[in-house]
Amino acid sequence: MTTPAHSTRTINLEGAARAAIAGGAPLALLIALGMPGYAAFAMFAGFTAIFGATEPYRQRALTTGVAGAMQAICMFAGLGVALAGSQLWMQAVGLVLVLVFAVCTLSTLRTIPAQPIFPTFAFAVSALVPVKPSDVPLVATIIIGSVAWAWLVAMSGSVLRRVFHPRAPHRFRPLAAPKHRTLAVLGTPALWETVGLNVVGALVAGAIAEGIPGLGHPYWAVIAVVSTLPALRQRHTVLRAFQRVVGTVGGTVIAVGILLLEPSAWWIVVIAVIGQFFAEIFVARHYAVTLLFLTPLALAVSWLSLPEAPELLALDRIAQTVLGALVSVALLLVGRGIERRRGRALGATGAVRTV
């Protein structure tokens, strides 16, 4: 008997559904309990489920567990900064520590996504959400509970495969081969060149963004840099920076159009679920299209925790993203010059390409 062709070999419907459920369920629970102000914490914890999405389940259990702990630690660091007054120097020091921690962790895991965008985003927003010391136990419960839920959702496929795979193997996307991991990567110059690029890019973009009068949300420039710079073993291209700008502008227009309609919190949940699902569908295919879904998700959920005028959000988001992309391209040009002079590639701009 001929085995039917895989319908999901190139479209990760399974992973997209897990990501949407991992982030959507805690968010819906918070809305039902009348606590939309804590939505951002549930969202960043929900991102745990996207790490290691194609790995064999034994390896994925470790990947997702470590990634979840990383997300939680970065949110708690942000909370600490917020409780201490969220002064600019505290944000800068915290940002450097988070970038070093995240780049080292993700490079050792060799996971996808490889850029430190999600831990950086989690820290930056958590450092700005207004919290009181009395809120900490509740926020900690939300973070830990949401991370645990995301881990369970990420691992749920092992049960589904055990039950249904023998009868319909063509319905399941093949898993990737196990990855060889070693802590020796932490001692390589390539890793620390990657760390250096991210730290320098983030601080430069953040400093410039902070100094531009009339613009807010300087952390968006930082996010644009760390999501555009290459991870270890990736090659930096101007195309990725261009796609970042195009996708963000398009996604911002969509998000502002939605927010101007003053949607209820439940509509934000729907937007978050749809955005997360389709972002995972397109992430390995086209970066700009991915951002058409990811940007409305991030803006809408962040808006629940930090409500602002949609028009101002749009201006800041687009301007800061362009700034971050320009800083990223400038680092690319500097890096290429260094490569030519020394005759070998920087760790972050090596010829080996990954997704």
Side-chain angles (χ1 to χ4, degrees), residues 3-201:
T3 301
H6 272 275
S7 60
T8 55
R9 281 187 183 273
T10 58
I11 302 177
N12 191 12
L13 295 174
E14 185 184 353
R18 283 198 302 266
I21 294 169
L27 185 58
L29 180 60
L30 287 177
I31 300 305
L33 294 175
M35 297 188 292
Y38 302 109
F41 299 112
M43 177 181 71
F44 292 123
F47 285 139
T48 296
I50 70 176
F51 290 93
T54 63
E55 295 178 6
Y57 279 93
R58 286 189 179 181
Q59 191 169 73
R60 190 184 307 184
L62 175 63
T63 299
T64 310
V66 173
M70 175 186 67
Q71 288 293 104
I73 289 170
C74 291
M75 281 187 276
F76 285 129
L79 279 173
V81 170
L83 290 170
S86 199
Q87 297 180 48
L88 187 59
W89 71 267
M90 294 180 182
Q91 296 178 40
V93 171
L95 176 63
V96 171
L97 295 175
V98 163
L99 283 171
V100 173
F101 171 56
V103 172
C104 289
T105 300
L106 295 174
S107 297
T108 302
L109 288 176
R110 298 182 62 194
T111 187
I112 298 172
Q115 277 90 3
I117 175 174
F118 293 116
T120 305
F121 204 172
F123 166 77
V125 174
S126 298
L128 297 175
V129 174
V131 292
K132 303 185 293 292
S134 59
D135 296 331
V136 172
L138 175 60
V139 173
T141 301
I142 292 170
I143 292 173
I144 295 171
S146 298
V147 166
W149 165 254
W151 186 89
L152 289 172
V153 172
M155 297 302 296
S156 64
S158 61
V159 177
L160 295 176
R161 285 174 182 261
R162 189 172 294 115
V163 174
F164 296 109
H165 190 275
R167 294 181 236 171
H170 59 287
R171 298 295 180 189
F172 291 86
R173 193 169 188 247
L175 299 177
K179 295 175 181 176
H180 173 68
R181 293 166 174 165
T182 172
L183 292 176
V185 70
L186 298 177
T188 61
L191 172 72
W192 294 102
E193 288 165 358
T194 302
V195 170
L197 278 174
N198 277 275
V199 169
V200 170

Side-chain angles (χ1 to χ4, degrees), residues 298-319:
L299 285 178
V301 176
S302 297
W303 182 72
L304 285 176
S305 297
L306 298 166
E308 297 181 63
E311 303 92 333
L312 296 178
L313 281 176
L315 174 64
D316 289 351
R317 180 72 172 185
I318 293 172

Side-chain angles (χ1 to χ4, degrees), residues 250-326:
T252 300
V253 170
I254 294 171
V256 170
I258 292 171
L259 294 179
L260 284 174
L261 297 175
E262 298 183 355
S264 69
W266 284 109
W267 277 112
I268 299 296
V269 174
V270 173
I271 293 165
V273 170
I274 293 174
Q276 186 66 73
F277 181 87
F278 284 101
E280 287 301 303
I281 291 292
F282 287 103
V283 68
R285 293 165 168 261
H286 201 289
Y287 188 48
V289 176
T290 300
L291 289 168
L292 291 178
F293 295 97
L294 195 57
T295 301
L297 155 67
L299 285 178
V301 176
S302 297
W303 182 72
L304 285 176
S305 297
L306 298 166
E308 297 181 63
E311 303 92 333
L312 296 178
L313 281 176
L315 174 64
D316 289 351
R317 180 72 172 185
I318 293 172
Q320 302 290 19
T321 297
V322 172
L323 170 60
L326 290 175

Side-chain angles (χ1 to χ4, degrees), residues 115 193-194 196-198 200-202 221-245 287 321-337 339-340 345-355:
Q115 277 90 3
E193 288 165 358
T194 302
L197 278 174
N198 277 275
V200 170
V222 173
I223 298 302
V225 170
V226 300
S227 61
T228 306
L229 285 175
L232 189 69
R233 305 182 187 88
Q234 290 183 333
R235 185 162 185 82
H236 190 351
T237 65
V238 175
L239 175 61
R240 185 173 177 88
F242 176 74
Q243 289 180 340
R244 175 79 193 178
V245 173
Y287 188 48
T321 297
V322 172
L323 170 60
L326 290 175
V327 170
S328 176
V329 172
L331 285 175
L332 163 65
L333 298 177
V334 172
R336 294 284 170 83
E339 288 176 351
R340 284 193 294 271
L346 290 171
T349 54
V352 180
R353 177 154 187 179
T354 59
V355 177

